[in-house]
Amino acid sequence: MTSTIRHVTIDCSDAYALAGFWAEVLGQPLHEDDEPGDEEALIEGAGLLFVTVPEGKTSKNRLHFDLQPQDRTRDEEVERLLALGATLVDDRRNPDGTGWAVLTDPEGNEFCVERSAGERGR
């Protein structure tokens, strides 16, 4: 018998707010039972569970998301995510179009934005 991963759980200071950011990033809704102030919030379709904890983030993530845009370019996606509240912390995009961008979510968790499949095919 084996196990499956039911959720990836992310500790944070405001579960509902951070889950709301990621729900916008991924274009998936929060669970219908989640409300502001809840100590847990779930993006069921993505398997992401956000849990409010008392301690803050203290170091670089040991695990992070690599996002690949589906209907826009990498650079367009970076701009969209910045408008949602992300912060660009390390720009590894190259003049030839390769590379990626490292951003943080509103609570400082790092994630990367890679080129879209269309950009990789060029």
Side-chain angles (χ1 to χ4, degrees):
M1 198 176 284
T2 62
S3 294
T4 60
I5 296 173
R6 182 169 179 216
H7 301 120
V8 174
T9 302
I10 300 164
D11 291 350
C12 53
S13 63
D14 184 337
Y16 187 82
L18 192 58
F21 168 82
W22 281 102
E24 287 292 321
V25 169
L26 301 172
Q28 296 193 24
L30 290 176
H31 191 276
E32 62 188 25
D33 294 337
D34 292 334
E35 297 182 12
D38 286 351
E39 291 188 11
E40 295 182 358
L42 175 64
I43 304 173
E44 196 165 24
L48 298 177
L49 176 63
F50 298 83
V51 178
T52 300
V53 298
E55 63 276 356
K57 183 176 182 290
T58 59
S59 64
K60 182 179 180 287
N61 295 12
R62 299 278 309 241
L63 172 78
H64 70 267
F65 301 127
D66 288 338
L67 304 179
Q68 183 180 45
Q70 299 300 297
D71 60 352
R72 59 185 58 98
T73 68
R74 176 199 54 210
D75 295 345
E76 291 169 336
E77 183 67 348
V78 167
E79 292 305 313
R80 184 181 82 86
L81 298 173
L82 293 173
L84 290 176
T87 301
L88 180 65
V89 295
D90 190 8
D91 195 338
R92 296 185 176 217
R93 294 176 282 185
N94 300 312
D96 68 356
T98 60
W100 62 93
V102 181
L103 292 89
T104 58
D105 69 18
E107 290 205 14
N109 300 300
E110 300 89 4
F111 64 97
C112 297
V113 181
E114 299 179 353
R115 294 178 295 160
S116 67
E119 290 173 295
R120 289 175 182 273
R122 290 184 200 151

